[in-house]
Amino acid sequence: MLVRLMYASRAVPAVDHDELVAILRKSKANNPANGVTGVLCFSEGIFLQVLEGGRSSVNRLYSHIVGDSRHTQVELLIYEEINERRFAGWSMGQVSMARLNPGLVMKYSETGMLDPYAVSGSVSMALFEELVATAAIVGQS
Ligand SMILES: Cc1cc2nc3c(=O)[nH]c(=O)nc-3n(C[C@H](O)[C@H](O)[C@H](O)COP(=O)(O)O)c2cc1C
């Protein structure tokens, strides 16, 4: 029983590049043992993350993440049962902002800024899928 979950959140001001690296390192250390894969995007103080895996594992991880004091306003955008993973290659991939084509964000937004609070979950997921297709995700598991 596989599920896919996507949420958005706002990082607290103390989250800097080093903190992001620490979150990614912890995710890559923990997720393989739990069969969780996914991608994390961090831009303009906003996190957007997709988690995939067994229902119990994803639910447990999400409840930990919601309680993490490094972010607030955690908003569930998508929760769905799936037959197959889309992000199987990453224990926790990272969207490389350097490789992000600004036109791609513009394609899915009113302003060209990443704002998952302002668009539907399916729009954010479509953006993620294009990021995979355009090799803008780094950090192979
Ligand atoms: C935006 C964000 C994303 C996170 N993603 C993950 C993740 O994918 N896997 C994970 O184990 N922890 C993740 N964490 C960290 C968890 O909230 C928590 O600190 C961690 O799972 C605790 O692991 P430990 O019990 O091994 O110390 C994330 C935290 C934040 C703020």
Side-chain angles (χ1 to χ4, degrees), residues 54-101:
R55 183 169 58 195
S56 301
S57 298
V58 169
N59 290 354
R60 201 173 328 110
L61 175 58
Y62 181 63
S63 62
H64 280 142
I65 291 175
V66 168
D68 195 310
S69 60
R70 290 171 287 190
H71 60 177
T72 58
Q73 286 180 254
V74 182
E75 184 132 320
L76 185 62
L77 303 176
I78 291 178
Y79 186 91
E80 58 188 353
E81 295 181 350
I82 55 173
N83 293 326
E84 59 187 48
R85 300 176 195 243
R86 288 191 189 135
F87 307 99
W90 296 274
S91 58
M92 190 44 60
Q94 179 190 1
V95 175
S96 163
M97 299 318 287
R99 288 200 213 169
L100 187 61
N101 173 358

Short mmCIF file of all heavy atoms in Angstrom, two decimals, residues 54-101:
data_model
loop_
_atom_site.label_atom_id
_atom_site.label_comp_id
_atom_site.label_asym_id
_atom_site.label_seq_id
_atom_site.Cartn_x
_atom_site.Cartn_y
_atom_site.Cartn_z
N GLY A 54 5.26 3.49 2.01
CA GLY A 54 4.18 2.77 2.67
C GLY A 54 3.34 3.74 3.49
O GLY A 54 3.87 4.72 4.03
N ARG A 55 2.06 3.48 3.58
CA ARG A 55 1.15 4.43 4.25
C ARG A 55 1.58 4.70 5.69
O ARG A 55 1.64 5.86 6.11
CB ARG A 55 -0.27 3.87 4.21
CG ARG A 55 -1.31 4.81 4.81
CD ARG A 55 -2.71 4.34 4.51
NE ARG A 55 -2.93 3.00 5.03
CZ ARG A 55 -3.96 2.22 4.66
NH1 ARG A 55 -4.85 2.68 3.79
NH2 ARG A 55 -4.11 1.03 5.17
N SER A 56 1.88 3.64 6.44
CA SER A 56 2.23 3.85 7.85
C SER A 56 3.52 4.66 7.97
O SER A 56 3.61 5.56 8.81
CB SER A 56 2.42 2.51 8.57
OG SER A 56 1.25 1.77 8.49
N SER A 57 4.50 4.35 7.12
CA SER A 57 5.78 5.08 7.19
C SER A 57 5.61 6.55 6.85
O SER A 57 6.16 7.42 7.52
CB SER A 57 6.79 4.45 6.22
OG SER A 57 7.06 3.13 6.59
N VAL A 58 4.85 6.81 5.79
CA VAL A 58 4.65 8.21 5.37
C VAL A 58 3.86 8.97 6.43
O VAL A 58 4.20 10.09 6.80
CB VAL A 58 3.97 8.27 3.99
CG1 VAL A 58 3.52 9.70 3.66
CG2 VAL A 58 4.91 7.75 2.91
N ASN A 59 2.83 8.32 6.97
CA ASN A 59 2.01 9.00 8.00
C ASN A 59 2.85 9.31 9.23
O ASN A 59 2.74 10.40 9.81
CB ASN A 59 0.82 8.12 8.41
CG ASN A 59 -0.21 8.00 7.31
OD1 ASN A 59 -0.11 8.65 6.27
ND2 ASN A 59 -1.21 7.16 7.52
N ARG A 60 3.67 8.36 9.64
CA ARG A 60 4.49 8.56 10.84
C ARG A 60 5.50 9.69 10.61
O ARG A 60 5.65 10.58 11.44
CB ARG A 60 5.23 7.25 11.19
CG ARG A 60 5.69 7.18 12.63
CD ARG A 60 6.26 5.82 13.03
NE ARG A 60 5.67 4.67 12.34
CZ ARG A 60 6.29 3.92 11.43
NH1 ARG A 60 7.53 4.19 11.07
NH2 ARG A 60 5.70 2.89 10.88
N LEU A 61 6.15 9.65 9.45
CA LEU A 61 7.13 10.69 9.16
C LEU A 61 6.47 12.06 9.09
O LEU A 61 6.97 13.04 9.66
CB LEU A 61 7.85 10.38 7.84
CG LEU A 61 8.82 11.45 7.34
CD1 LEU A 61 9.91 11.74 8.38
CD2 LEU A 61 9.47 11.01 6.02
N TYR A 62 5.31 12.12 8.44
CA TYR A 62 4.64 13.42 8.30
C TYR A 62 4.28 13.99 9.67
O TYR A 62 4.44 15.18 9.91
CB TYR A 62 3.40 13.27 7.43
CG TYR A 62 2.65 14.57 7.22
CD1 TYR A 62 3.25 15.64 6.55
CD2 TYR A 62 1.36 14.76 7.71
CE1 TYR A 62 2.58 16.84 6.36
CE2 TYR A 62 0.68 15.96 7.53
CZ TYR A 62 1.30 16.99 6.85
OH TYR A 62 0.65 18.20 6.67
N SER A 63 3.84 13.13 10.59
CA SER A 63 3.48 13.67 11.91
C SER A 63 4.71 14.18 12.65
O SER A 63 4.64 15.16 13.38
CB SER A 63 2.69 12.65 12.74
OG SER A 63 3.47 11.52 12.97
N HIS A 64 5.88 13.55 12.41
CA HIS A 64 7.13 14.10 12.98
C HIS A 64 7.44 15.46 12.36
O HIS A 64 7.79 16.41 13.06
CB HIS A 64 8.32 13.17 12.70
CG HIS A 64 8.40 12.00 13.62
ND1 HIS A 64 8.77 10.75 13.19
CD2 HIS A 64 8.15 11.88 14.94
CE1 HIS A 64 8.74 9.91 14.20
NE2 HIS A 64 8.37 10.57 15.28
N ILE A 65 7.34 15.51 11.05
CA ILE A 65 7.71 16.73 10.32
C ILE A 65 6.80 17.89 10.74
O ILE A 65 7.26 19.01 10.95
CB ILE A 65 7.66 16.48 8.79
CG1 ILE A 65 8.79 15.54 8.37
CG2 ILE A 65 7.74 17.79 8.03
CD1 ILE A 65 8.76 15.12 6.90
N VAL A 66 5.49 17.61 10.88
CA VAL A 66 4.55 18.68 11.27
C VAL A 66 4.96 19.31 12.60
O VAL A 66 4.82 20.51 12.81
CB VAL A 66 3.10 18.13 11.34
CG1 VAL A 66 2.17 19.12 12.02
CG2 VAL A 66 2.59 17.80 9.94
N GLY A 67 5.50 18.48 13.49
CA GLY A 67 5.89 18.98 14.81
C GLY A 67 7.28 19.62 14.86
O GLY A 67 7.73 20.04 15.93
N ASP A 68 7.94 19.70 13.73
CA ASP A 68 9.31 20.23 13.69
C ASP A 68 9.27 21.76 13.82
O ASP A 68 8.57 22.43 13.05
CB ASP A 68 9.98 19.81 12.37
CG ASP A 68 11.48 19.99 12.38
OD1 ASP A 68 11.95 21.08 12.75
OD2 ASP A 68 12.18 19.03 12.01
N SER A 69 10.02 22.29 14.78
CA SER A 69 9.94 23.73 15.07
C SER A 69 10.68 24.59 14.04
O SER A 69 10.67 25.82 14.13
CB SER A 69 10.50 24.02 16.46
OG SER A 69 11.85 23.60 16.51
N ARG A 70 11.30 23.96 13.04
CA ARG A 70 12.00 24.74 12.02
C ARG A 70 11.07 25.30 10.95
O ARG A 70 11.50 26.03 10.06
CB ARG A 70 13.11 23.90 11.39
CG ARG A 70 14.25 23.66 12.38
CD ARG A 70 15.24 22.67 11.85
NE ARG A 70 14.71 21.32 11.88
CZ ARG A 70 15.43 20.22 11.66
NH1 ARG A 70 16.72 20.35 11.39
NH2 ARG A 70 14.88 19.02 11.70
N HIS A 71 9.80 24.93 11.04
CA HIS A 71 8.85 25.51 10.09
C HIS A 71 7.47 25.64 10.72
O HIS A 71 7.19 25.07 11.78
CB HIS A 71 8.79 24.71 8.77
CG HIS A 71 8.37 23.28 8.92
ND1 HIS A 71 8.21 22.45 7.83
CD2 HIS A 71 8.08 22.51 10.01
CE1 HIS A 71 7.84 21.26 8.24
NE2 HIS A 71 7.76 21.26 9.55
N THR A 72 6.62 26.45 10.09
CA THR A 72 5.25 26.68 10.58
C THR A 72 4.30 26.62 9.38
O THR A 72 4.74 26.48 8.23
CB THR A 72 5.13 28.08 11.22
OG1 THR A 72 5.50 29.06 10.24
CG2 THR A 72 6.02 28.23 12.44
N GLN A 73 3.02 26.79 9.68
CA GLN A 73 1.98 26.82 8.62
C GLN A 73 2.10 25.62 7.67
O GLN A 73 2.07 25.78 6.45
CB GLN A 73 2.08 28.11 7.81
CG GLN A 73 1.56 29.33 8.53
CD GLN A 73 1.67 30.57 7.66
OE1 GLN A 73 2.54 31.41 7.89
NE2 GLN A 73 0.83 30.69 6.67
N VAL A 74 2.27 24.44 8.27
CA VAL A 74 2.37 23.24 7.43
C VAL A 74 1.00 22.94 6.84
O VAL A 74 0.02 22.78 7.58
CB VAL A 74 2.88 22.03 8.26
CG1 VAL A 74 3.01 20.81 7.36
CG2 VAL A 74 4.20 22.36 8.94
N GLU A 75 0.93 22.96 5.54
CA GLU A 75 -0.36 22.78 4.86
C GLU A 75 -0.32 21.56 3.95
O GLU A 75 0.51 21.49 3.03
CB GLU A 75 -0.66 24.04 4.03
CG GLU A 75 -2.02 23.99 3.37
CD GLU A 75 -2.80 25.27 3.60
OE1 GLU A 75 -2.74 25.81 4.72
OE2 GLU A 75 -3.45 25.70 2.65
N LEU A 76 -1.21 20.62 4.24
CA LEU A 76 -1.28 19.41 3.42
C LEU A 76 -1.91 19.76 2.08
O LEU A 76 -3.00 20.33 2.03
CB LEU A 76 -2.13 18.37 4.16
CG LEU A 76 -2.24 16.99 3.53
CD1 LEU A 76 -0.89 16.30 3.43
CD2 LEU A 76 -3.22 16.12 4.32
N LEU A 77 -1.21 19.44 1.01
CA LEU A 77 -1.69 19.79 -0.33
C LEU A 77 -2.26 18.59 -1.08
O LEU A 77 -3.25 18.71 -1.80
CB LEU A 77 -0.56 20.41 -1.17
CG LEU A 77 0.11 21.65 -0.60
CD1 LEU A 77 1.27 22.09 -1.50
CD2 LEU A 77 -0.88 22.79 -0.44
N ILE A 78 -1.60 17.43 -0.92
CA ILE A 78 -2.04 16.21 -1.62
C ILE A 78 -1.80 15.02 -0.71
O ILE A 78 -0.75 14.92 -0.07
CB ILE A 78 -1.24 16.00 -2.93
CG1 ILE A 78 -1.59 17.05 -3.98
CG2 ILE A 78 -1.51 14.60 -3.51
CD1 ILE A 78 -0.81 16.92 -5.28
N TYR A 79 -2.78 14.13 -0.66
CA TYR A 79 -2.57 12.83 -0.02
C TYR A 79 -3.32 11.82 -0.88
O TYR A 79 -4.54 11.90 -1.01
CB TYR A 79 -3.12 12.81 1.42
CG TYR A 79 -2.79 11.53 2.14
CD1 TYR A 79 -1.62 11.41 2.89
CD2 TYR A 79 -3.62 10.41 2.06
CE1 TYR A 79 -1.29 10.24 3.52
CE2 TYR A 79 -3.30 9.23 2.70
CZ TYR A 79 -2.14 9.16 3.43
OH TYR A 79 -1.79 7.98 4.07
N GLU A 80 -2.59 10.89 -1.50
CA GLU A 80 -3.25 9.96 -2.41
C GLU A 80 -2.62 8.57 -2.34
O GLU A 80 -1.42 8.44 -2.08
CB GLU A 80 -3.20 10.48 -3.85
CG GLU A 80 -1.79 10.73 -4.36
CD GLU A 80 -1.75 11.43 -5.72
OE1 GLU A 80 -2.79 11.61 -6.34
OE2 GLU A 80 -0.63 11.77 -6.16
N GLU A 81 -3.46 7.57 -2.56
CA GLU A 81 -2.96 6.21 -2.71
C GLU A 81 -2.44 6.08 -4.14
O GLU A 81 -3.05 6.60 -5.07
CB GLU A 81 -4.08 5.20 -2.46
CG GLU A 81 -4.57 5.24 -1.02
CD GLU A 81 -5.68 4.23 -0.75
OE1 GLU A 81 -6.20 3.62 -1.71
OE2 GLU A 81 -6.02 4.06 0.43
N ILE A 82 -1.30 5.40 -4.27
CA ILE A 82 -0.67 5.32 -5.60
C ILE A 82 -0.29 3.87 -5.91
O ILE A 82 -0.12 3.05 -4.99
CB ILE A 82 0.59 6.21 -5.68
CG1 ILE A 82 1.59 5.86 -4.55
CG2 ILE A 82 0.20 7.68 -5.62
CD1 ILE A 82 2.93 6.58 -4.66
N ASN A 83 -0.16 3.59 -7.19
CA ASN A 83 0.29 2.26 -7.62
C ASN A 83 1.81 2.22 -7.78
O ASN A 83 2.41 1.16 -7.67
CB ASN A 83 -0.36 1.87 -8.95
CG ASN A 83 -1.85 1.66 -8.79
OD1 ASN A 83 -2.31 1.18 -7.73
ND2 ASN A 83 -2.61 2.02 -9.80
N GLU A 84 2.37 3.35 -8.09
CA GLU A 84 3.83 3.40 -8.29
C GLU A 84 4.36 4.76 -7.86
O GLU A 84 3.63 5.76 -7.84
CB GLU A 84 4.19 3.13 -9.75
CG GLU A 84 3.57 4.10 -10.72
CD GLU A 84 3.82 3.69 -12.16
OE1 GLU A 84 3.61 2.51 -12.50
OE2 GLU A 84 4.23 4.56 -12.95
N ARG A 85 5.65 4.78 -7.52
CA ARG A 85 6.30 6.03 -7.12
C ARG A 85 6.69 6.85 -8.35
O ARG A 85 6.98 6.29 -9.40
CB ARG A 85 7.58 5.72 -6.33
CG ARG A 85 7.36 4.94 -5.06
CD ARG A 85 8.70 4.62 -4.42
NE ARG A 85 8.57 3.57 -3.42
CZ ARG A 85 8.83 3.75 -2.12
NH1 ARG A 85 9.27 4.91 -1.67
NH2 ARG A 85 8.68 2.75 -1.27
N ARG A 86 6.74 8.15 -8.15
CA ARG A 86 7.28 9.03 -9.19
C ARG A 86 8.69 9.48 -8.86
O ARG A 86 9.41 9.96 -9.72
CB ARG A 86 6.41 10.29 -9.33
CG ARG A 86 5.10 10.03 -9.97
CD ARG A 86 4.43 11.35 -10.31
NE ARG A 86 3.07 11.08 -10.74
CZ ARG A 86 2.01 11.76 -10.33
NH1 ARG A 86 2.15 12.79 -9.52
NH2 ARG A 86 0.82 11.44 -10.74
N PHE A 87 9.06 9.39 -7.58
CA PHE A 87 10.35 9.93 -7.14
C PHE A 87 11.18 8.83 -6.48
O PHE A 87 11.83 9.04 -5.46
CB PHE A 87 10.12 11.11 -6.18
CG PHE A 87 9.21 12.15 -6.77
CD1 PHE A 87 7.87 12.20 -6.44
CD2 PHE A 87 9.70 13.06 -7.70
CE1 PHE A 87 7.02 13.14 -7.00
CE2 PHE A 87 8.86 14.01 -8.28
CZ PHE A 87 7.52 14.05 -7.93
N ALA A 88 11.13 7.64 -7.11
CA ALA A 88 11.76 6.46 -6.51
C ALA A 88 13.27 6.59 -6.40
O ALA A 88 13.90 5.92 -5.59
CB ALA A 88 11.39 5.22 -7.31
N GLY A 89 13.86 7.46 -7.22
CA GLY A 89 15.32 7.53 -7.26
C GLY A 89 15.96 8.36 -6.17
O GLY A 89 17.18 8.44 -6.11
N TRP A 90 15.16 8.95 -5.31
CA TRP A 90 15.73 9.86 -4.30
C TRP A 90 15.25 9.51 -2.90
O TRP A 90 14.04 9.52 -2.63
CB TRP A 90 15.32 11.30 -4.59
CG TRP A 90 15.85 11.85 -5.88
CD1 TRP A 90 17.06 12.43 -6.08
CD2 TRP A 90 15.21 11.86 -7.15
NE1 TRP A 90 17.21 12.80 -7.38
CE2 TRP A 90 16.10 12.47 -8.06
CE3 TRP A 90 13.96 11.41 -7.61
CZ2 TRP A 90 15.77 12.63 -9.41
CZ3 TRP A 90 13.64 11.58 -8.94
CH2 TRP A 90 14.54 12.18 -9.82
N SER A 91 16.20 9.22 -1.99
CA SER A 91 15.80 9.05 -0.59
C SER A 91 15.31 10.41 -0.07
O SER A 91 14.38 10.47 0.73
CB SER A 91 16.97 8.55 0.26
OG SER A 91 18.06 9.43 0.17
N MET A 92 15.91 11.49 -0.55
CA MET A 92 15.33 12.83 -0.44
C MET A 92 16.09 13.72 -1.42
O MET A 92 17.18 14.21 -1.13
CB MET A 92 15.41 13.39 0.99
CG MET A 92 14.61 14.69 1.18
SD MET A 92 12.93 14.68 0.42
CE MET A 92 12.12 13.31 1.27
N GLY A 93 15.52 13.86 -2.59
CA GLY A 93 16.14 14.70 -3.61
C GLY A 93 15.95 16.17 -3.26
O GLY A 93 15.08 16.53 -2.47
N GLN A 94 16.77 16.98 -3.85
CA GLN A 94 16.71 18.41 -3.57
C GLN A 94 16.55 19.14 -4.90
O GLN A 94 17.27 18.84 -5.86
CB GLN A 94 18.00 18.84 -2.89
CG GLN A 94 18.08 20.30 -2.57
CD GLN A 94 19.49 20.69 -2.11
OE1 GLN A 94 20.40 19.85 -2.05
NE2 GLN A 94 19.68 21.94 -1.80
N VAL A 95 15.61 20.07 -4.94
CA VAL A 95 15.46 20.86 -6.15
C VAL A 95 16.61 21.86 -6.19
O VAL A 95 16.78 22.65 -5.27
CB VAL A 95 14.11 21.59 -6.19
CG1 VAL A 95 14.03 22.50 -7.41
CG2 VAL A 95 12.96 20.59 -6.19
N SER A 96 17.39 21.78 -7.24
CA SER A 96 18.51 22.71 -7.39
C SER A 96 18.00 24.03 -7.94
O SER A 96 17.58 24.11 -9.10
CB SER A 96 19.54 22.11 -8.34
OG SER A 96 20.41 23.14 -8.77
N MET A 97 18.01 25.08 -7.09
CA MET A 97 17.49 26.36 -7.56
C MET A 97 18.38 26.89 -8.70
O MET A 97 17.91 27.62 -9.56
CB MET A 97 17.43 27.37 -6.40
CG MET A 97 16.51 26.93 -5.26
SD MET A 97 14.93 26.21 -5.78
CE MET A 97 14.07 27.65 -6.36
N ALA A 98 19.67 26.48 -8.68
CA ALA A 98 20.58 26.93 -9.74
C ALA A 98 20.16 26.37 -11.10
O ALA A 98 20.35 27.00 -12.13
CB ALA A 98 22.00 26.51 -9.40
N ARG A 99 19.57 25.17 -11.07
CA ARG A 99 19.18 24.55 -12.34
C ARG A 99 17.72 24.83 -12.69
O ARG A 99 17.20 24.31 -13.66
CB ARG A 99 19.38 23.03 -12.24
CG ARG A 99 20.82 22.62 -12.24
CD ARG A 99 20.92 21.16 -12.64
NE ARG A 99 22.01 20.50 -11.97
CZ ARG A 99 22.20 19.19 -11.98
NH1 ARG A 99 21.36 18.41 -12.61
NH2 ARG A 99 23.22 18.66 -11.35
N LEU A 100 17.08 25.62 -11.82
CA LEU A 100 15.66 25.88 -12.04
C LEU A 100 15.48 26.96 -13.10
O LEU A 100 16.00 28.06 -12.98
CB LEU A 100 15.03 26.32 -10.71
CG LEU A 100 13.52 26.48 -10.68
CD1 LEU A 100 12.84 25.16 -11.00
CD2 LEU A 100 13.09 26.96 -9.30
N ASN A 101 14.76 26.63 -14.12
CA ASN A 101 14.47 27.57 -15.19
C ASN A 101 13.33 28.49 -14.72
O ASN A 101 12.23 28.01 -14.45
CB ASN A 101 14.07 26.76 -16.43
CG ASN A 101 13.58 27.62 -17.55
OD1 ASN A 101 13.50 28.83 -17.43
ND2 ASN A 101 13.25 26.97 -18.66
#
